[in-house]
């Protein structure tokens, strides 16, 4: 226990406000360590016990086929499908082999690649069809909409490219394969590989975050109501086509992380895990505790060994079978608190250590990070946690949970409130700088202006908030609109200040880089099952007669500046702030960032502090190429001068514009 004590003190040393909770941090570390020891008997690495996918499910062997399932409450289980004419037959009855496990051996000729099957699960008070819990291929009939497992036995995929190196600072392009097409349809892994990966590469992002990969019955859930945790969604194509997508991204030097859903599971019984063997507690909490009050889904019991092994094996499966380079864990706040963080403002440290915390969930997340590191030491893990739980993105061996990064969710909320509620002349540049940099010093974060959440129907994207109905007929470069001019200018400035003040990494949702119009609305009964708003209108970014093209170019060049100068390797230093002028200046990695948020005042020969030297403009948000006003001569060389013992240079900064200046070597 001395080791555990030393580890927890490391986190407390970084944040003295945690000192009163030192013993509770020790207990959390102790719980994770003891759980790991119980799983491994203290003799094996954790990765050796995360092998449920090799044991359960359908597997082809030299002798034929073997199928196994865990169902402790079942009385009988049958495999049935195309091969049995969808009849329950004694020849396909599983045998109980103890420990709640069931098994069936079949000759090689009994099953063929592509045929459909299910389980017929019998328990004391009833029986019904189920899909295997470890099914790796699930398909939906287009006519009946019924889901079935599918025997999948293709030629193994031949990987062409080595795994990429872990990016020092992830610049993440959050993407949804299904809605990535220009056409009003469900797109495919193949189309994404062919058309979207080149766009991401051109823009300069180094990481793709894929959403909605784990199979989900309802397309409109955005992939967050998962039924089949081991099955890549067949809506988009085959598992091999997903592998080819990831392989192609690796060939382009891009990492690919999975938006993994381990925070809950869909309530569906025929397709999912709910009441799988007739009981409500195989993987979940029983009773009311096992029901999510807002998401209408099932809540995992992270204290159960079956649950931990199921979820840890799931991580190993996606890392090894599909070569994903890490995970963004969704819904971490919901996992960590018994009330799921609903309606709670986390304003006091005591809220992280009271009886509302699910300590088993924290232990599972710690084990998940330990496992990922054992399998892929260079894999990337990100926590989506709005609560600010201390230590979430701090090494597990030093008392934290072990994530590399946490999502900086407050930044997006800040921009929504600012744009929605504050007049432009009231924007405080000191307030902006504070909110962009107000992060725990011991934790790295992923900053973003908007992710998919801000783009969903019922909400508004940033560009829609700024421009609103003007975007329908005033985005032409041949038309003039003060509303559009304002929106385009602020869209660029907000993104630039958020990215260049990020502490660890940055995220953008697919299409928002060029101000994709309107919202995301998946096909549903309320919109006539339309795909009109579940697609991406890429032609807007490619049309030079529209201002979307300028926004797209700015995003590309903004990312290029960050990459070229390894900007995020250094910390920003605020060098000048003038509240009345609404001017903000900071230095990072030798570059000067100059923002004028004033809606009415431009400043000629504005004096800003700097290091001695000659400077040139490397990015100008007001440039004509970005649909700005072109008021700055970007060819001018700016020379520093000495005044009263300090070094300055003078710049012209138009209203609602930003400049990035680099020293001339």
């Amino acid at each position: 226990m001395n080791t555990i004590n030393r580890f927890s003190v490391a986190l407390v040393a970084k944040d003295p406000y945690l000192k009163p909770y030192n013993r509770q941090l020790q207990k959390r570390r102790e719980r994770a360590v003891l759980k790991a020891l119980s799983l491994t008997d203290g003799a094996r690495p954790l990765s050796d016990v995360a092998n449920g996918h090799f044991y359960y499910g359908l597997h082809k062997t030299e002798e034929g086929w073997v199928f196994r399932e865990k169902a402790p409450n079942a009385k009988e289980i049958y495999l049935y499908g195309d091969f049995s004419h969808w009849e329950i037959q004694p020849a396909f009855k599983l045998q109980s082999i103890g420990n709640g496990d069931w098994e069936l051996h079949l000759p090689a000729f009994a099953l063929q690649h592509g045929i459909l099957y299910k389980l017929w699960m019998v328990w004391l008070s009833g029986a019904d069809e189920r899909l295997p819990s470890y099914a790796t291929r699930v398909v939906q009939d287009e006519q009946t909409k019924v889901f079935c497992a599918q025997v999948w036995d293709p030629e193994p995929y031949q990987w062409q490219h080595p795994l990429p190196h872990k990016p020092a600072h992830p610049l993440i392009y959050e993407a949804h394969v299904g809605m990535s097409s220009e056409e009003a349809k469900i797109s495919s892994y193949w189309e994404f590989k062919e058309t979207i990966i080149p766009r991401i590469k051109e823009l300069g992002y180094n990481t793709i975050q894929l959403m909605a990969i784990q199979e989900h019955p309802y397309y409109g859930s955005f992939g967050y109501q998962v039924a089949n945790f081991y099955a890549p969604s067949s809506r988009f194509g085959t598992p091999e086509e997903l592998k080819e997508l990831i392989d192609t991204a690796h060939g382009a030097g891009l990492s690919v992380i999975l938006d993994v859903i381990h925070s809950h599971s869909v309530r569906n019984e025929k397709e999912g895990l709910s009441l799988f063997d007739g009981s409500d507690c195989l993987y979940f909490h029983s009773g009311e505790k096992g029901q999510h009050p807002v998401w209408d889904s099932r809540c995992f019991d992270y204290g159960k060994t079956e649950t931990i092994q199921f979820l840890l094996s799931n991580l190993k499966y996606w890392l090894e079978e599909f070569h994903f380079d890490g995970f963004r864990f969704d819904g971490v706040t919901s996992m960590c608190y018994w009330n799921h963080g609903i309606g709670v403002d986390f304003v006091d440290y005591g809220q992280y250590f009271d009886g509302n915390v699910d300590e088993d969930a924290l232990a599972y997340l710690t084990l998940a990070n330990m496992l990922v590191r054992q399998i892929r030491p260079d894999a990337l893990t990100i926590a989506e946690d709005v609560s600010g739980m201390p230590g979430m993105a701090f090494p597990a061996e030093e008392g934290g949970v072990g994530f590399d990064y946490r999502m900086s969710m407050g930044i997006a909320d800040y921009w929504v409130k600012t744009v929605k509620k504050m007049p432009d002349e009231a924007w405080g540049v000191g307030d902006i700088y504070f909110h962009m940099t107000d992060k725990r010093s011991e934790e790295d974060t992923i900053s973003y202006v908007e992710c998919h959440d801000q783009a969903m129907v019922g909400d508004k994207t940033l560009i829609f908030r700024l421009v609103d109905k003007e975007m329908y007929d005033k985005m032409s470069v041949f038309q003039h609109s003060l509303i559009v001019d304002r929106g385009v200018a602020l869209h660029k400035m907000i993104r630039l200040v958020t990215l260049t003040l990020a502490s660890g990494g940055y995220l953008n949702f697919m299409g928002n880089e060029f101000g994709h119009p309107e919202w995301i609305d998946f096909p549903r009964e309320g919109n006539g099952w339309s795909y009109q708003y579940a697609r991406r209108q890429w032609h807007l970014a490619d049309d030079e007669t529209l201002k979307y093209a300028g926004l797209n170019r700015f995003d590309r060049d903004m990312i290029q500046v960050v990459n070229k100068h390894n900007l995020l390797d250094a910390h920003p230093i605020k060098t000048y702030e003038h509240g009345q002028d609404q001017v903000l200046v900071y230095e990072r990695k030798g570059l000067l960032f100059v923002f004028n948020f004033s809606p009415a005042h431009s400043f000629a020969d504005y004096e800003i502090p700097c290091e001695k030297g000659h400077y040139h403009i490397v990015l100008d948000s007001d440039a004509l190429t970005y649909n700005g006003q072109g008021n700055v001569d970007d060819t001018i060389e700016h020379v520093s001068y000495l005044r009263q013992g300090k070094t300055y240079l003078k710049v012209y900064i138009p209203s609602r514009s930003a400049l990035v200046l680099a020293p001339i070597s």
Side-chain angles (χ1 to χ4, degrees):
M1 296 304 162
N2 289 334
T3 301
I4 295 171
N5 183 64
R6 178 173 60 83
F7 286 146
S8 64
V9 168
L11 178 57
V12 173
K14 293 286 186 177
D15 186 352
Y17 289 105
L18 289 172
K19 190 173 182 180
Y21 310 103
N22 187 51
R23 180 56 189 147
Q24 286 166 278
L25 286 167
Q26 294 173 21
K27 287 182 178 180
R28 285 180 181 174
R29 175 63 182 165
E30 180 179 335
R31 181 185 292 263
V33 170
L34 292 177
K35 176 59 72 172
L37 290 173
S38 71
L39 291 170
T40 64
D41 298 324
R44 295 176 291 167
L46 195 59
S47 59
D48 280 359
V49 299
N51 291 324
H53 54 297
F54 292 126
Y55 183 75
Y56 297 107
L58 183 65
H59 300 279
K60 194 172 186 179
T61 69
E62 293 181 359
E63 293 77 26
W65 297 92
V66 60
F67 178 84
R68 298 187 188 92
E69 188 58 84
K70 177 167 284 295
N73 194 55
K75 300 305 178 185
E76 293 180 342
I77 307 177
Y78 296 85
L79 208 65
Y80 75 119
D82 292 338
F83 51 87
S84 69
H85 307 288
W86 292 99
E87 296 177 351
I88 308 301
Q89 298 181 4
F92 299 102
K93 182 179 180 180
L94 278 67
Q95 301 300 313
S96 175
I97 58 174
N99 197 35
D101 293 338
W102 298 76
E103 184 178 82
L104 172 66
H105 290 269
L106 294 170
F109 64 80
L111 304 175
Q112 294 81 42
H113 173 70
I115 66 173
L116 304 179
Y117 70 101
K118 294 185 179 184
L119 299 178
W120 184 253
M121 187 78 64
V122 181
W123 54 92
L124 190 62
S125 59
D128 206 345
E129 62 186 42
R130 294 289 186 264
L131 298 186
S133 59
Y134 284 80
T136 57
R137 173 72 171 170
V138 172
V139 296
Q140 184 180 28
D141 184 273
E142 292 186 8
Q143 302 301 319
T144 66
K145 304 303 180 185
V146 171
F147 284 87
C148 292
Q150 187 175 37
V151 176
W152 200 249
D153 184 36
E155 289 294 321
Y157 179 78
Q158 301 299 315
W159 295 91
Q160 302 298 313
H161 301 288
L163 299 174
H165 295 295
K166 182 178 183 177
H169 300 282
L171 303 177
I172 302 170
Y173 198 84
E174 184 185 35
H176 185 286
V177 170
M179 58 172 288
S180 64
S181 174
E182 179 92 23
E183 301 175 53
K185 66 171 189 177
I186 297 178
S187 191
S188 69
Y189 297 126
W190 186 89
E191 290 174 287
F192 189 95
K193 176 201 71 172
E194 291 293 308
T195 62
I196 308 304
I197 287 179
R199 285 184 178 272
I200 299 171
K201 178 67 175 177
E202 170 66 18
L203 287 168
Y205 292 85
N206 57 32
T207 304
I208 303 172
Q209 178 180 306
L210 288 182
M211 306 174 63
I213 295 301
Q214 294 170 293
E215 191 62 89
H216 44 291
Y218 180 44
Y219 185 51
S221 74
F222 226 140
Y224 289 114
Q225 294 273 342
V226 172
N228 315 108
F229 287 78
Y230 288 81
S233 182
S234 59
R235 288 182 182 87
F236 314 139
T238 68
E240 287 64 45
E241 288 168 334
L242 173 57
K243 291 176 183 178
E244 188 176 7
L245 183 163
I246 296 170
D247 201 12
T248 301
H250 288 169
L254 302 171
S255 297
V256 185
I257 62 175
L258 175 66
D259 192 358
V260 72
I261 318 302
H262 282 182
S263 48
H264 64 135
S265 179
V266 70
R267 288 177 61 91
N268 300 40
E269 297 166 15
K270 294 181 185 295
E271 299 92 358
L273 299 175
S274 186
L275 301 182
F276 182 73
D277 60 357
S279 70
D280 70 344
C281 58
L282 175 54
Y283 298 109
F284 309 109
H285 289 289
S286 183
E288 185 178 352
K289 187 181 286 188
Q291 313 292 327
H292 198 289
V294 173
W295 297 343
D296 191 30
S297 55
R298 298 301 312 279
C299 300
F300 286 111
D301 182 349
Y302 302 101
K304 294 178 71 72
T305 298
E306 292 85 355
T307 303
I308 291 181
Q309 289 182 326
F310 180 82
L311 296 176
L312 291 180
S313 297
N314 192 234
L315 297 175
K316 184 174 181 178
Y317 169 76
W318 291 110
L319 286 173
E320 294 187 340
E321 183 68 21
F322 288 89
H323 289 198
F324 275 102
D325 303 299
F327 303 98
R328 179 259 198 190
F329 282 71
D330 179 71
V332 167
T333 304
S334 179
M335 297 172 69
C336 291
Y337 302 93
W338 292 117
N339 64 6
H340 308 292
I342 299 169
V344 178
D345 291 327
F346 291 89
V347 295
D348 182 82
Y349 268 57
Q351 293 172 284
Y352 304 127
F353 300 95
D354 60 18
N356 183 38
V357 177
D358 184 349
E359 301 291 350
D360 287 325
L362 278 178
Y364 164 68
L365 290 170
T366 304
L367 295 183
N369 279 287
M370 290 168 58
L371 174 75
V372 170
R373 300 288 175 265
Q374 287 180 13
I375 298 171
R376 283 278 304 276
D378 62 345
L380 175 66
T381 60
I382 303 170
E384 190 226 16
D385 170 39
V386 71
S387 76
M389 172 70 75
M392 189 65 72
F394 195 70
E397 60 271 18
E398 297 181 24
V401 181
F403 286 97
D404 291 304
Y405 303 91
R406 71 185 325 145
M407 300 293 291
S408 193
M409 302 175 74
I411 290 178
D413 292 339
Y414 170 78
W415 286 123
V416 168
K417 292 175 184 176
T418 300
V419 171
K420 186 177 180 180
K421 298 181 178 180
M422 293 184 64
D424 293 4
E425 59 270 18
W427 289 22
V429 291
D431 193 50
I432 290 172
Y433 188 89
F434 171 77
H435 278 90
M436 296 304 105
T437 57
D438 181 29
K439 308 175 182 77
R440 294 183 181 278
S441 62
E442 74 275 13
E443 297 185 336
D444 287 326
T445 59
I446 303 295
S447 296
Y448 61 98
V449 176
E450 51 187 343
C451 66
H452 69 275
D453 286 331
Q454 287 73 37
M456 292 296 289
V457 65
D459 206 336
K460 288 185 177 182
T461 60
L462 177 66
I463 194 69
F464 210 2
R465 288 190 182 279
L466 292 168
V467 178
D468 207 71
K469 67 182 188 310
E470 297 281 316
M471 69 174 10
Y472 294 116
D473 57 5
K474 297 293 194 308
M475 289 296 284
S476 168
V477 297
F478 305 114
Q479 290 180 285
H480 182 67
S481 164
L482 292 176
I483 292 175
V484 170
D485 288 347
R486 168 186 177 267
V488 167
L490 290 177
H491 192 273
K492 292 177 286 187
M493 295 180 70
I494 288 171
R495 280 173 145 65
L496 181 63
V497 75
T498 301
L499 168 58
T500 56
L501 287 177
S503 69
Y506 176 76
L507 177 142
N508 165 69
F509 178 68
M510 176 177 67
N512 285 357
E513 68 275 6
F514 65 84
H516 195 282
E518 300 175 320
W519 50 79
I520 300 166
D521 189 11
F522 282 91
R524 55 187 172 87
E525 188 175 1
N527 65 15
W529 301 103
S530 171
Y531 290 88
Q532 176 65 23
Y533 299 108
R535 63 192 181 104
R536 297 283 90 178
Q537 300 181 58
W538 302 109
H539 74 277
L540 299 175
D542 301 333
D543 189 342
E544 293 298 334
T545 68
L546 298 175
K547 294 181 180 179
Y548 299 107
L551 292 177
N552 192 68
R553 251 191 313 278
F554 180 80
D555 198 85
R556 178 199 65 194
D557 293 351
M558 173 182 75
I559 296 290
Q560 182 180 5
V561 167
V562 170
N563 286 330
K564 180 179 179 181
H565 296 274
N566 297 315
L567 188 76
L568 302 187
D569 285 350
H571 294 290
I573 301 172
K574 183 168 64 174
T575 57
Y576 181 82
E577 171 192 330
H578 196 292
Q580 186 173 351
D581 290 347
Q582 292 182 278
V583 172
L584 172 68
V585 182
Y586 52 90
E587 180 272 331
R588 191 167 193 176
K589 206 69 185 296
L591 302 184
L592 294 177
F593 295 85
V594 184
F595 290 83
N596 177 11
F597 280 96
S598 172
H601 300 289
S602 299
F603 301 103
D605 294 331
Y606 202 90
E607 189 177 67
I608 61 172
C610 67
E611 295 293 325
K612 180 180 179 182
H614 293 223
Y615 291 81
H616 67 124
I617 295 172
V618 294
L619 189 66
D620 170 15
S621 72
D622 191 51
L624 291 174
T625 189
Y626 309 132
N627 302 125
Q629 305 305 311
N631 288 318
V632 175
D633 184 350
D634 295 341
T635 66
I636 292 178
E637 184 176 309
H638 295 76
V639 183
S640 66
Y641 58 90
L642 193 65
R643 183 175 64 79
Q644 295 180 346
K646 295 183 179 180
T647 309
Y648 300 88
L649 57 79
K650 291 182 178 181
V651 293
Y652 172 51
I653 40 175
S655 65
R656 290 199 186 108
S657 73
L659 298 173
V660 182
L661 297 98
I664 301 173
S665 51

